[in-house]
């Protein structure tokens, strides 16, 4: 199946460099592998039940979303144990250490992904009943 995507040239250039350095056969194979990794990560998050302990890391431009990000964090303070925040120019890297109901941690992750100005959101589950 042929599919097209709208991806900034800089991202495609960096992606091409990475898969070529790894010795992959072609871009299609690299995209397929990246998609499978995304599906696996999403499925693991969806499969989590009961209580989980997790780390959510995300980066964003400070002035673009800081108020909205803080608002979301206040909505989920029942599962956020603590936060860590560092600056790199206008960009911020934030980590949220969470413990609580898997559905709440999942909801927090998805809310952070809703912001266009949040560049990446990564979650690492440290412990969960379904694992």
């Amino acid at each position: 199946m042929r599919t097209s995507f709208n991806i900034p040239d800089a991202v495609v250039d960096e992606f091409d460099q990475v898969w070529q350095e790894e010795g992959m056969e072609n871009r299609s194979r690299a995209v397929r592998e990246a998609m499978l990794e995304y599906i696996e990560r999403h499925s693991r998050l969806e499969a989590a039940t009961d209580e989980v302990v997790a780390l959510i890391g995300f980066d964003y431009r400070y002035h673009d979303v800081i108020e909205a990000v803080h608002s979301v964090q206040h909505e989920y303070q029942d599962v956020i144990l603590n936060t860590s925040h560092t600056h790199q120019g206008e960009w911020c890297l934030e980590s949220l250490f969470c413990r609580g109901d898997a559905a709440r941690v999942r909801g927090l992750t998805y809310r952070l992904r809703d912001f266009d100005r949040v560049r990446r959101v990564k979650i690492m589950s440290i412990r969960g009943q379904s694992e």
Side-chain angles (χ1 to χ4, degrees):
M1 169 169 55
R2 287 206 171 282
T3 305
S4 65
F5 298 98
N6 184 10
I7 304 171
D9 290 340
V11 173
V12 173
D13 292 344
E14 188 172 1
F15 184 76
D16 285 345
Q17 181 180 348
V18 170
W19 67 260
Q20 289 169 359
E21 286 174 357
E22 290 183 356
M24 287 201 160
E25 298 170 20
N26 54 52
R27 184 190 288 158
S28 291
R29 178 170 174 96
V31 168
R32 186 171 50 251
E33 185 171 311
M35 291 175 88
L36 289 171
E37 286 181 21
Y38 178 82
I39 291 166
E40 180 181 321
R41 187 172 65 242
H42 177 77
S43 298
R44 181 177 174 153
L45 181 59
E46 285 298 314
T49 60
D50 299 325
E51 183 177 272
V52 297
V53 176
L55 167 66
I56 302 171
F58 59 103
D59 60 343
Y60 58 94
R61 290 187 102 151
Y62 180 83
H63 297 291
D64 294 343
V65 293
I66 190 63
E67 289 180 29
V69 164
H70 281 172
S71 178
V72 168
Q73 288 180 14
H74 282 277
E75 288 178 44
Y76 287 88
Q77 62 185 325
D78 59 307
V79 294
I80 298 174
L81 297 176
N82 60 49
T83 65
S84 178
H85 182 99
T86 189
H87 300 272
Q88 182 62 45
E90 290 187 17
W91 285 92
C92 297
L93 176 62
E94 192 140 352
S95 56
L96 309 177
F97 297 91
C98 303
R99 184 169 131 198
D101 180 66
R104 290 286 292 160
V105 174
R106 197 169 33 249
L108 171 58
T109 303
Y110 293 158
R111 285 289 306 280
L112 293 169
R113 286 181 179 159
D114 278 345
F115 296 108
D116 287 339
R117 294 300 189 174
V118 171
R119 188 167 53 175
R120 291 170 297 181
V121 178
K122 302 283 186 176
I123 183 168
M124 180 177 68
S125 176
I126 300 170
R127 181 175 55 88
Q129 297 295 338
S130 66
E131 296 176 14

